[in-house]
Amino acid sequence: MSITAPTALQRIFTSDNTAGASPEIVQAHAAAAAGQDLPYGADRHTASARARFAEIFGRDVDVLPVSTGSAANALSLAALTPPWGSVLCHRDSHINTDECGAPEFFTSGAKLVGLPGDDAKIDAEQLHAAASRKVGDVHSVQPSVVSITQATETGALYSLDEIRSLGLLAKDAGLRVHMDGARFANAVAALGCTPAELTWQAGVDVLSFGATKNGAMTADAIVVFDPALTPELSFRAKRAGQLTSKMRFQSAQLDAYLTDGLWLRNAAHANMMAERLGTGLKAIPCAGLLHAVEANILFCRLPQTVIDQLLAEGFTFYHDRWEPGVCRFVTSFSTTEHDVDTLVEAVRRLAI
C-alpha cells in the first residue's frame, strides 16, 4: 500500500514519534482484537512475527516484543553487562543522554563510558584504547559491551565497514556488541544492505529494533542473535513489566510492519523527505547544514529571528537543546513533499 498523504499540512518536525501509524499496522492491530488467543507470547501473531524476523535476518533469532525503545536498550544492556562492567558508547548516544539513567538502573549500576567521534559515531582508536583500559583492575569497572547507535543522534550512518571494524575490535577484546536501532529501518533503507550484514554478520549480539518511530503504534523489539542470552533477557523482561499478557497486540504490529517491505518503504520515504528538506535549505544562504543528510534527521543553523518567526507560524522543531541557532528537523513516513516545501519556503521568506 502506498503512503496516503494527510489531508492537512503538517508543521511538526520535532520527531518521527509525532507521526501516526501506518494503516496496515492499525488494521492488523484491530484484527488481533477479534476472538481469543493465548497470552504471554504463545499466540499466533507472535509466532508469525518471529518468523518474519527470522526471514529478514536470514537465520533463527529470538524476539522479545517490548513497549518502548528505552526498555529494549536497558534490558539488552542489563543482559550483556555485569554491575561492575562498563558500556562503551558514544558520549552523545541516546543511552547516554536521553534515557534518564535507565541503563544504569537496569544493569544495577554498570557505568556508561562516553567516547568521542565525529557525527556521534564511536572513533575506532578511542574504542580500542577504552576496551583495554584497566582490564583486571579490581578498583575499576570492567569494559563489557560496546553499544552502537544506528542511525546516530545526528542522523549519521555507520557504514558496513565501520560496523564490522568496531565489531571486530569488540570481539578481539572479549566484549559483547549491542546496537540501538531505534531508526534501524532508516539505516537499512539508506545503506541498501541487508539487515544481516548490518547486525549479526558484523558481530552484533543484541539489537534494539525500533518500529514505533516508523509507523508502529506501541511496539519495539529486542532481537537476540546469541540464544544463550535469551533466558536471562526473558526473566529481565518479566521483572521489568515488559512481558505483556496480550502480547498479540504488539506482535500484530511488528508482523504487519515487516510484511511486504512496509518497514523499508516507510523508512525510505522518511529519508527521502529529509534529503528534499536538506536540498531546499542548502539553497538558502542563512541556513547552514551541520551534517550531511543520511537518514531522516537534519541539523542546521538558522538566525534566531528566523527561528522565532517559524515558531510563531506554527512550525515545531527542537531549537534550544544544543547551542544557540542550532535546529533539528526530523521527517517521518507521513511527511509529505508539500510539508517539506512549505517549511523551506517559510525559511526562504523569513530570511529576507
Side-chain angles (χ1 to χ4, degrees):
M1 176 183 287
S2 61
I3 298 170
T4 302
T7 56
L9 174 68
Q10 298 183 92
R11 295 174 182 260
I12 301 177
F13 292 87
T14 308
S15 171
D16 33 14
N17 284 323
T18 65
S22 290
E24 298 91 333
I25 291 175
V26 175
Q27 292 164 11
H29 191 269
Q36 296 184 333
D37 213 327
L38 295 173
Y40 300 111
D43 60 279
R44 64 185 185 277
H45 300 284
T46 300
S48 180
R50 286 175 173 150
R52 300 275 186 205
F53 275 102
E55 180 182 355
I56 70 164
F57 284 103
R59 54 165 287 180
D60 288 337
V61 294
D62 290 324
V63 180
L64 289 79
V66 292
S67 59
T68 68
S70 295
N73 284 334
L75 291 172
S76 296
L77 293 172
L80 295 169
T81 318
W84 56 88
S86 64
V87 179
L88 307 181
C89 58
H90 194 277
R91 60 192 177 196
D92 295 327
S93 63
H94 194 83
I95 61 170
N96 197 42
T97 62
D98 288 283
E99 297 287 26
C100 195
E104 294 91 336
F105 177 79
F106 279 91
T107 59
S108 299
K111 185 178 181 65
L112 270 64
V113 176
L115 302 178
D118 295 337
D119 296 327
K121 297 192 291 185
I122 297 172
D123 180 83
E125 291 186 5
Q126 294 290 332
L127 175 61
H128 179 71
S132 59
R133 188 170 294 130
K134 294 190 176 183
V135 171
D137 184 346
V138 73
H139 299 285
S140 178
V141 291
Q142 296 298 288
S144 301
V145 59
V146 178
S147 183
I148 301 167
T149 309
Q150 180 74 318
T152 75
E153 292 302 289
T154 68
L157 299 174
Y158 286 93
S159 69
L160 279 178
D161 285 343
E162 288 172 326
I163 294 286
R164 291 169 183 147
S165 176
L166 295 179
L168 184 59
L169 280 172
K171 297 306 180 184
D172 285 346
L175 309 184
R176 293 287 201 170
V177 180
H178 164 256
M179 179 175 284
D180 178 354
R183 295 183 175 90
F184 182 72
N186 301 91
V188 175
L191 293 171
C193 61
T194 68
E197 290 173 323
L198 204 54
T199 53
W200 63 269
Q201 290 181 359
V204 175
D205 297 296
V206 179
L207 166 69
S208 296
F209 182 89
T212 302
K213 294 179 185 296
N214 193 40
M217 298 163 64
T218 55
D220 288 344
I222 300 171
V223 181
V224 188
F225 302 109
D226 180 355
L229 297 167
T230 303
E232 180 177 347
L233 271 166
S234 298
F235 281 107
R236 287 187 177 276
K238 171 61 179 179
R239 190 168 180 262
Q242 289 295 321
L243 179 64
T244 52
S245 60
K246 294 185 178 180
M247 189 183 290
R248 65 184 181 272
F249 289 106
Q250 291 168 304
S251 299
Q253 295 177 60
L254 294 169
D255 193 15
Y257 183 65
L258 297 177
T259 298
D260 297 330
L262 175 64
W263 67 299
L264 293 178
R265 291 200 306 278
N266 279 2
H269 177 83
N271 292 351
M272 185 170 59
M273 292 301 98
E275 183 178 4
R276 185 182 184 93
L277 177 58
T279 299
L281 292 177
K282 282 180 187 177
I284 303 173
C286 77
L289 269 62
L290 303 186
H291 309 278
V293 180
E294 298 184 63
N296 67 318
I297 300 176
L298 180 152
F299 280 82
C300 73
R301 192 180 300 277
L302 291 173
Q304 189 61 47
T305 55
V306 174
I307 294 172
D308 292 340
Q309 291 177 83
L310 286 173
L311 296 171
E313 292 189 8
F315 291 96
T316 64
F317 50 92
Y318 282 123
H319 58 92
D320 55 359
R321 301 189 73 190
W322 300 277
E323 56 184 278
V326 172
C327 304
R328 188 189 82 164
F329 298 100
V330 184
T331 54
S332 75
F333 76 95
S334 66
T335 304
T336 68
E337 292 182 356
H338 183 48
D339 299 332
V340 170
D341 295 346
T342 300
L343 173 58
V344 171
E345 181 53 37
V347 174
R348 180 181 293 110
R349 169 172 46 81
L350 296 172
I352 297 176

